[in-house]
Amino acid sequence: MVGMGMPAYGIQSMLKEGHKHLSGLDEAVLKNIDACKQLSQITRTSLGPNGMNKMVINHLDKLFITNDAATIVNELEVQHPAAKILVLAGKAQQEEIGDGANLCVSFAGELLQNAEELIRMGLHPSEIIIGYAKAINKTIQVLEELVEAGSDTMDVRDTNQVISRMKAAVASKQFGLEDILCCLIAQACIQVCPKNPANFNVDNVRVTKLLGGGLHDSKIVRGMVLKSDAVGSIKRIEKAKVAVFAGGVDTSATETKGTVLIHSAEQLENYARTEEAKVEQLIKAVAESGAKVIVSGAAVGEMALHFCERYKLMVLKISSKFELRRFCRTTGAVALLKLSPPNPDDLGYVDSISVEEIGGVRVTIARNEEGGNSVSTVVLRGSTDSILDDLERAVDDGVNTYKAMCRDSRIVPGAAATEIELAIRLKEFSLKETGLDQYAISKFAESFEMVPKTLAENAGLNAMEIISSLYAEHASGNARVGIDLEEGTCKDVSTNSIWDLYITKFFALKYAADAVCTVLRVDQIIMAKPAGGPKRDAPAGMDED
Amino acid sequence: MATMLQPQIILLKEGTDTSQGKPQLLSNINACTAVADVVRSTLGPRGMDKLIHDEKGNTTISNDGATIMKLLDIIHPAAKILVDIAKSQDSEVGDGTTTVVLLAAEFLKEAKPFIEDGVHPQNLIRSYRTAGHLAIEKVKELAVSIEGKSLEEKKSLLANCAATSLSSKLIGGEKDFFASMVVDAVLAIGNDDRLNMIGIKKVPGGNMRDSFLVNGVAFKKTFSYAGFEQQPKKFVNPKILLLNIELELKSEKENAEIRLSDPSQYQSIVDAEWNIIYDKLDKCVKSGAKIILSRLAIGDLATQYFADRDVFCAGRVTEEDLHRVAAATGGTIQTTVNNVIDEVLGSCEIFEEKQVGNERFNIFSGCPSGQTATIVLRGGADQFIEEAERSLHDAIMIVRRAVKNSTVVAGGGAIDMEISRYLRQHARTIAGKSQLFINSYAKALEIIPRQLCDNAGFDATDVLNKLRQKHALPSGEGALYGVDINTGGIADSFANFVWEPSVVKINAINAATEAACLILSVDETVKNPKSESAQGDAAASAMGRGRGGAAFRGRGRGMRRR
């Protein structure tokens, strides 16, 4: 399409019509930078506790209201190839740590913006890349020096220590609610923390969202909460053994299509009766094995249900394979494929299973207070689906932070204190460099100002004032002074105990720098013509009619 | 593509719609206000009803906030949040849906001038959250417990709550009649209350006063075959057998086939089929049951057979009703007639088939476990009964919550005025911007008494000033004063038995505050174009769900009920 109307020359003549080809500083590098800047501008206003939410409506018409950068960039459907690199960096951060995606994307955007200035000054991208690479190595070195002394060992089972490390991460998602949420998350995580904390599995902390009530009504359940009713009429049972059948509780039928041939009247009369007897025998055998609860992974036959009621067995149906697996983990049961009498070893145990009504929804709660409690559930309450979804994301971030701190518990001062300190130290470092990369390193240092600036702007404070007073404080040796957003002043973060995990910062900065270098390295973009272009719109139009 | 001359940057997919900044926030607020304006006039005893005509041609007349919001089909993303909170209020407490929407919209409206003046939304949000928290604490403090009263006393207290809820509805004229009915129904199902144990049956015709409560189960006579007329229609202390099988002459299994080499045996096969059904019927009768109900069909052969043996039968009873009968009579539903022991049979004091309007009803009363109740509603038009049902549902929920939480507060806007006063007082102790925000939150709460007056045609300003004066009395004696809907003045709501369960108010304030904060915290909307394939997927998955689950059964049931 670019080639249309223009005489084909150079590379254009080699490519099929419809290709897009952009090259050179102006067309490729600066454009790429611009696109990335735009993306980071969207996420930037969501940074920090006072960040604003975004309403994102995705292509399925689902509404997201969130300030979680990972969710935003995920649902935005970014098309620009360079901006996509930033998105990938954000995603990598989300997968590695589960938090700090916003820092990653916004910081990368800032770095690129500063790179643009350098390019306009006349620096070649490759010089910037070398400078940035040097800067990030130095940053990592400095970051390590900033780690709080004595924070490298912690007891991951101590609620207070966990909360102090988790607070900043959760507060940046749900400001004002972090105290309640942190408490819930910490409890849930500690409950399921295995003997070796490094093996902590994020999947073991479940979240169940129930509409109605408020966050204050949220609670922790040691065990699982299933959003369904029990199948039979028995709704509550205590201290019971559990048999889990993954393949459903029903008369066994053949997969191959078969026909029963009946030769005489007697056979016809007995046909139904034998089937009935078979089911009764199976259910009776289960009941005799000591199980009081039957959990089925698929359909529960009416005949089977009838006999379960007769033998006073509680019947639950969990159709999701994942849920069933978790249920097995909670109860310690082994899922049997076929309806057959279970071995005593295969039976699980629950303290209680009961059907309760929460906010108009009937849920089945399986509790396991002691021993084998490898799953815990956070029951979230909130007035709308979007609030609940956002709370869930905050919980997820919290849980991920817990996992990260199980790996590496070192912390650095939060509330932009670390960033300012890094900026100062890098600036010093840059002056010692002799080459042109000096400029790049000094710009890298400046980019760190973005964090306090955005935090202050989002809170409605005067950013320049804050930054200058932060610099002043740090220059006089108070390396732990950050912004106190509630009062709008600069304060030692240790008084408010705002700490960030070292590992979160480390990866966010590293991924950001890597992504930026990748974007800067590109000097040509060649885009193939999208396949089947015009077809896209026609069916959509028809749908609306 | 316009990229030829001036290559622009396409960051997002084509067709993506983004809007951001302050105008976006203000437009969200405006949308919410517009939605609230629709339900505004339905609040209170003098509230007006809405007639909604949907695209399928169904007409609904309602005054229930949640129902109206649901039917409005709102697509604005911010306004949708209001629909969500109405739903949440409906599921959590069941009533006060209009209140919650109104409050949320009013909070936003009060926030609007501040936003326009350039206040950062986060500051507002923080103050609103604090104010919401304080308000809830105050409601808890003001709540009066009804715990520990005798049953009689409790009943009348609960009836007051139900009456307050009902007074704002279409059937408000008969509120005392229905209030006591609702309280009886809720108390009948006892502690392990499950909402579906209270059945509401609608029979057009007659008037509202002909509605009655059955302490047990009632359902409309099912389709019956010849021979039904000969069956006895009234039993005293009968045994009841509940089945989940067909009592019809039919093939035992789809996949069974009969091959005969000897033609003379053919008759024996035919006989065998008859034997099977006779055997089943015989077992039913032998079990000693006098009433046989089945979820599936009971054929004409079976009907005749039972009629000959003075047994009553009904086939194709809806599953809901059957479960209710099971719970009421203490029986269990059987999937086989073999080995029917006495334990699984239910019983009740009196069973009879009665004429209600132009329908015949099967009524089981005096059930031993007594955990069910059925309200048979009578009334003129279909829409009228529908609305009456919704109103009763609200009242039932209110009473259930009151039983569970057993604290009440004064209604009629009294509690709102009191919280408003309390917050204003509190605001004075705060230095800084927050003072203004909490003040405006307090002002927003006054919308409830104001709207009550507006809807009743009183001079809201006048009444509100009177109320403010009463509530500001230093002795605190005026704390219970609310709008008197009868005289257009003010009155002690508590003494006049205008009561609400405190949980309704708590949840309403909580949800409204949360929603207002959520909307205030949004500064950007990004709307991605719909993807066609995804649409197909969504539809397919919705269908898939419907096929497998309750919707399928629902379809079968729904047809026969109407």
Side-chain angles (χ1 to χ4, degrees):
Chain A
M1 299 201 185
V2 179
M4 262 192 334
M6 278 189 203
Y9 61 90
I11 196 163
Q12 295 288 353
S13 62
M14 292 166 12
L15 298 173
K16 223 191 204 168
E17 207 179 312
H19 267 75
K20 256 196 281 186
H21 174 244
L22 305 161
S23 72
L25 269 185
D26 270 341
E27 263 194 2
V29 182
L30 291 182
K31 288 289 166 242
N32 283 345
I33 290 176
D34 217 14
C36 296
K37 250 164 62 191
Q38 281 187 23
L39 179 73
S40 76
Q41 241 147 36
I42 293 180
T43 57
R44 184 177 296 180
T45 48
S46 297
L47 188 73
N50 278 352
M52 300 293 282
N53 283 352
K54 309 283 168 203
M55 232 181 220
V56 182
I57 301 161
N58 75 354
H59 60 99
L60 292 172
D61 246 3
K62 183 169 175 6
L63 175 64
F64 293 86
I65 300 183
T66 181
N67 60 11
D68 181 43
T71 314
I72 298 172
V73 294
N74 225 347
E75 298 302 332
L76 271 179
E77 294 190 27
V78 173
Q79 273 226 310
H80 195 282
K84 257 190 189 155
I85 296 175
L86 250 63
V87 172
L88 288 178
K91 275 189 190 157
Q93 170 76 11
Q94 184 72 17
E95 282 184 5
E96 186 67 33
I97 307 291
D99 185 33
N102 202 343
L103 177 65
C104 181
V105 176
S106 304
F107 187 64
E110 186 69 18
L111 282 177
L112 282 169
Q113 188 170 359
N114 285 330
E116 186 185 346
E117 282 172 30
L118 291 172
I119 289 172
R120 291 205 193 280
M121 261 170 64
L123 251 71
H124 193 268
S126 62
E127 279 154 353
I128 303 176
I129 294 168
I130 294 172
Y132 275 9
K134 269 190 190 163
I136 186 70
N137 286 337
K138 179 71 185 169
T139 309
I140 288 165
Q141 207 184 320
V142 177
L143 194 62
E144 210 142 322
E145 288 165 21
L146 291 178
V147 166
E148 276 300 297
S151 67
D152 47 346
T153 51
M154 73 170 280
D155 181 9
V156 289
R157 287 187 180 76
D158 182 40
T159 321
N160 289 333
Q161 284 189 31
V162 172
I163 288 179
S164 74
R165 284 166 166 80
M166 195 185 281
K167 210 164 150 192
V170 176
S172 70
K173 297 292 175 300
Q174 294 290 335
F175 188 48
L177 305 173
E178 72 267 19
D179 288 334
I180 310 167
L181 272 176
C182 279
C183 206
L184 288 172
I185 302 169
Q187 273 179 23
C189 289
I190 291 167
Q191 270 178 23
V192 297
C193 187
K195 283 206 186 77
N196 178 6
N199 291 339
F200 176 76
N201 186 354
V202 182
D203 196 42
N204 283 342
V205 178
R206 307 300 308 158
V207 176
T208 303
K209 297 170 281 179
L210 293 168
L211 208 59
L215 185 65
H216 299 269
D217 308 321
S218 302
K219 58 179 180 187
I220 300 281
V221 171
R222 282 191 153 201
M224 275 184 74
V225 177
L226 304 167
K227 269 174 134 175
S228 60
D229 203 342
V231 182
S233 61
I234 301 166
K235 303 288 184 199
R236 162 179 287 278
I237 218 158
E238 266 170 33
K239 299 213 187 318
K241 289 204 171 136
V242 187
V244 179
F245 297 103
V249 179
D250 206 350
T251 46
S252 37
T254 50
E255 285 298 322
T256 326
K257 192 171 181 274
T259 311
V260 182
L261 270 186
I262 292 171
H263 292 287
S264 70
E266 248 166 73
Q267 281 176 344
L268 180 63
E269 281 181 41
N270 287 331
Y271 181 52
R273 218 166 292 156
T274 52
E275 204 180 51
E276 217 177 281
K278 178 80 186 151
V279 177
E280 174 160 15
Q281 184 203 331
L282 279 172
I283 301 288
K284 196 172 165 197
V286 175
E288 275 169 1
S289 74
K292 288 271 172 52
V293 182
I294 289 188
V295 180
S296 161
V300 181
E302 282 184 345
M303 189 63 81
L305 185 59
H306 169 85
F307 285 111
C308 289
E309 299 267 290
R310 181 62 70 85
Y311 289 104
K312 303 276 178 246
L313 297 172
M314 183 174 184
V315 185
L316 290 179
K317 200 177 121 187
I318 305 175
S319 28
S320 156
K321 288 272 175 287
F322 300 101
E323 287 284 291
L324 196 68
R325 216 164 58 204
R326 278 180 215 119
F327 188 86
C328 289
R329 229 170 13 206
T330 316
T331 57
V334 177
L336 301 171
L337 272 177
K338 216 169 140 265
L339 182 59
S340 55
N343 285 326
D345 295 346
D346 295 344
L347 291 178
Y349 173 81
V350 283
D351 277 343
S352 74
I353 289 193
S354 57
V355 179
E356 287 171 28
E357 188 179 305
I358 303 179
V361 185
R362 298 188 70 77
V363 292
T364 311
I365 300 178
R367 283 195 181 81
N368 232 349
E369 297 293 343
E370 50 210 89
N373 48 356
S374 55
V375 175
S376 67
T377 306
V378 182
V379 180
L380 284 179
R381 309 294 318 278
S383 48
T384 71
D385 287 330
S386 23
I387 289 179
L388 284 173
D389 286 347
D390 213 28
L391 284 175
E392 185 189 10
R393 279 189 283 270
V395 173
D396 280 351
D397 277 12
V399 175
N400 278 315
T401 314
Y402 184 80
K403 187 186 167 197
M405 78 176 84
C406 283
R407 271 188 359 200
D408 186 343
S409 66
R410 284 178 291 173
I411 49 177
V412 289
T418 308
E419 279 80 3
I420 288 292
E421 190 62 25
L422 283 171
I424 292 176
R425 301 241 189 134
L426 268 184
K427 204 94 183 197
E428 282 168 15
F429 171 70
S430 76
L431 297 177
K432 290 176 196 150
E433 287 294 302
T434 46
L436 275 175
D437 43 6
Q438 193 192 88
Y439 291 101
I441 298 174
S442 115
K443 280 288 175 197
F444 195 96
E446 257 174 52
S447 307
F448 281 111
E449 283 175 19
M450 180 275 302
V451 177
K453 193 169 141 218
T454 315
L455 285 180
E457 271 173 9
N458 286 351
L461 304 171
N462 187 340
M464 289 335 284
E465 245 173 56
I466 296 272
I467 291 177
S468 49
S469 56
L470 275 177
Y471 268 127
E473 288 278 359
H474 280 254
S476 59
N478 301 329
R480 293 200 298 200
V481 172
I483 311 175
D484 182 349
L485 289 173
E486 284 189 36
E487 288 172 27
T489 51
C490 298
K491 237 189 198 174
D492 195 323
V493 290
S494 54
T495 53
N496 284 10
S497 70
I498 305 170
W499 303 106
D500 283 341
L501 277 184
Y502 162 77
I503 194 164
T504 312
K505 251 225 164 124
F506 172 82
F507 277 107
L509 297 178
K510 194 158 166 41
Y511 284 138
D514 285 354
V516 166
C517 290
T518 317
V519 172
L520 286 175
R521 253 189 209 118
V522 176
D523 76 331
Q524 274 198 357
I525 308 173
I526 302 167
M527 279 161 94
K529 182 181 169 187
K535 243 164 66 188
R536 269 197 54 88
D537 287 331
M542 263 161 61
D543 270 359
E544 266 158 48
D545 289 342
Chain B
M1 249 180 256
T3 44
M4 202 174 90
L5 291 172
Q6 193 201 9
Q8 74 189 49
I9 296 151
I10 313 165
L11 176 63
L12 300 173
K13 230 186 209 168
E14 258 179 280
T16 307
D17 179 25
T18 65
S19 38
Q20 62 187 100
K22 214 203 280 178
Q24 156 74 12
L25 186 48
L26 291 177
S27 103
N28 280 345
I29 293 179
N30 287 340
C32 293
T33 322
V35 171
D37 279 340
V38 176
V39 290
R40 185 175 294 269
S41 61
T42 62
L43 187 79
R46 298 289 159 89
M48 305 298 279
D49 290 355
K50 303 279 168 200
L51 191 151
I52 298 162
H53 191 82
D54 68 12
E55 55 196 7
K56 282 186 214 120
N58 295 332
T59 313
T60 313
I61 298 178
S62 182
N63 154 317
D64 178 41
T67 311
I68 299 172
M69 297 292 277
K70 225 181 282 163
L71 290 171
L72 275 179
D73 213 6
I74 291 167
I75 52 161
H76 191 284
K80 254 190 191 161
I81 294 171
L82 292 190
V83 182
D84 281 347
I85 55 169
K87 257 191 227 159
S88 125
Q89 176 84 3
D90 201 31
S91 60
E92 181 74 13
V93 281
D95 195 24
T97 45
T98 312
T99 314
V100 69
V101 174
L102 215 53
L103 275 179
E106 202 61 23
F107 289 151
L108 289 172
K109 210 164 140 192
E110 289 294 332
K112 200 169 143 192
F114 291 118
I115 303 282
E116 276 168 344
D117 289 347
V119 171
H120 198 275
Q122 287 292 352
N123 292 335
L124 269 166
I125 291 172
R126 205 174 317 142
S127 303
Y128 272 18
R129 277 206 183 129
T130 325
H133 198 67
L134 286 171
I136 289 168
E137 290 304 312
K138 188 74 187 165
V139 175
K140 282 186 185 154
E141 189 189 316
L142 289 171
V144 178
S145 175
I146 55 169
E147 201 66 72
K149 303 270 167 68
S150 71
L151 186 67
E152 273 312 302
E153 223 171 324
K154 214 170 180 174
K155 248 186 179 174
S156 74
L157 295 173
L158 291 172
N160 285 331
C161 290
T164 308
S165 165
L166 285 171
S167 67
S168 64
K169 312 283 179 190
L170 200 58
I171 50 176
E174 305 285 352
K175 64 179 180 190
D176 296 330
F177 175 71
F178 282 110
S180 64
M181 189 186 279
V182 165
V183 172
D184 284 344
V186 173
L187 291 180
I189 61 170
N191 283 332
D192 177 40
D193 63 339
R194 277 179 287 161
L195 187 60
N196 58 2
M197 284 300 138
I198 301 180
I200 298 181
K201 300 282 161 190
K202 296 163 282 186
V203 187
N207 69 33
M208 280 188 295
R209 286 245 162 213
D210 296 336
S211 308
F212 58 94
L213 177 79
V214 179
N215 217 339
V217 191
F219 56 86
K220 209 163 91 179
K221 188 192 83 125
T222 53
F223 179 80
S224 55
Y225 289 94
F228 181 74
E229 286 74 20
Q230 282 93 3
Q231 293 179 352
K233 297 291 157 40
K234 185 165 178 172
F235 289 99
V236 179
N237 286 328
K239 286 245 156 60
I240 302 160
L241 176 61
L242 307 163
L243 294 174
N244 190 15
I245 48 170
E246 290 189 4
L247 292 177
E248 249 181 327
L249 201 54
K250 63 156 222 165
S251 80
E252 273 293 317
K253 270 282 180 211
E254 281 89 26
N255 62 352
E257 195 180 316
I258 296 168
R259 288 227 182 117
L260 296 174
S261 44
D262 183 5
S264 63
Q265 276 191 359
Y266 187 72
Q267 188 56 40
S268 71
I269 295 287
V270 176
D271 288 344
E273 282 202 338
W274 283 86
N275 281 341
I276 290 173
I277 177 90
Y278 274 124
D279 180 47
K280 278 187 192 170
L281 297 177
D282 195 41
K283 276 177 177 151
C284 291
V285 175
K286 279 228 181 89
S287 72
K290 281 291 167 199
I291 298 169
I292 293 162
L293 304 179
S294 175
R295 194 173 71 82
L296 298 166
I298 293 184
D300 41 4
L301 174 74
T303 312
Q304 197 68 55
Y305 187 90
F306 290 139
D308 292 345
R309 284 157 187 80
D310 283 345
V311 171
F312 176 87
C313 73
R316 294 190 195 278
V317 178
T318 60
E319 201 177 350
E320 262 183 338
D321 285 330
L322 203 63
H323 279 300
R324 232 178 270 144
V325 175
T329 61
T332 34
I333 299 166
Q334 301 293 302
T335 341
T336 167
V337 289
N338 294 328
N339 191 16
V340 174
I341 43 176
D342 223 27
E343 217 174 284
V344 300
L345 295 179
S347 66
C348 70
E349 270 167 28
I350 295 169
F351 164 80
E352 63 183 324
E353 190 181 291
K354 248 202 218 161
Q355 187 82 19
V356 179
N358 55 0
E359 309 272 10
R360 307 278 305 169
F361 261 77
N362 295 331
I363 295 171
F364 300 81
S365 47
C367 299
S369 64
Q371 279 176 0
T372 50
T374 308
I375 295 171
V376 179
L377 264 185
R378 307 293 315 278
D382 270 348
Q383 282 99 346
F384 183 84
I385 306 185
E386 296 277 336
E387 174 63 4
E389 186 193 356
R390 277 192 292 272
S391 311
L392 282 185
H393 170 259
D394 282 8
I396 289 169
M397 291 296 284
I398 285 285
V399 175
R400 283 178 67 203
R401 295 300 162 205
V403 170
K404 252 190 199 159
N405 295 299
S406 45
T407 50
V408 293
V409 291
I415 184 79
D416 308 271
M417 284 308 287
E418 185 59 21
I419 300 170
S420 175
R421 182 200 61 79
Y422 168 71
L423 285 179
R424 273 174 214 266
Q425 210 173 35
H426 176 79
R428 282 194 214 120
T429 63
I430 304 172
K433 278 184 272 191
S434 184
Q435 184 184 22
L436 289 171
F437 307 150
I438 292 193
N439 244 334
S440 64
Y441 187 97
K443 188 170 171 230
L445 282 170
E446 285 180 359
I447 183 69
I448 303 292
R450 182 183 294 273
Q451 199 62 45
L452 284 175
C453 294
D454 278 348
N455 288 350
F458 305 143
D459 185 350
T461 324
D462 196 31
V463 177
L464 235 61
N465 281 333
K466 277 190 205 155
L467 276 178
R468 275 198 208 116
Q469 184 264 337
K470 270 281 179 213
H471 281 264
L473 285 181
S475 59
E477 63 188 50
L480 298 174
Y481 272 76
V483 181
D484 185 348
I485 217 73
N486 298 321
T487 61
I490 59 171
D492 187 336
S493 295
F494 209 79
N496 286 330
F497 303 121
V498 182
W499 297 356
E500 287 176 284
S502 54
V503 59
V504 174
K505 230 32 295 166
I506 291 174
N507 202 57
I509 292 175
N510 206 346
T513 313
E514 266 182 17
C517 289
L518 190 64
I519 291 168
L520 283 177
S521 74
V522 174
D523 75 335
E524 179 154 2
T525 310
V526 179
K527 196 174 163 116
N528 285 322
K530 261 188 214 166
S531 71
E532 51 204 271
S533 62
Q535 230 175 23
D537 283 351
S541 72
M543 264 169 66
R545 238 180 288 136
R547 219 181 293 138
F552 181 72
R553 269 179 283 137
R555 208 190 307 153
R557 242 189 291 141
M559 260 174 16
R560 252 168 270 120
R561 215 195 302 174
R562 257 156 249 281

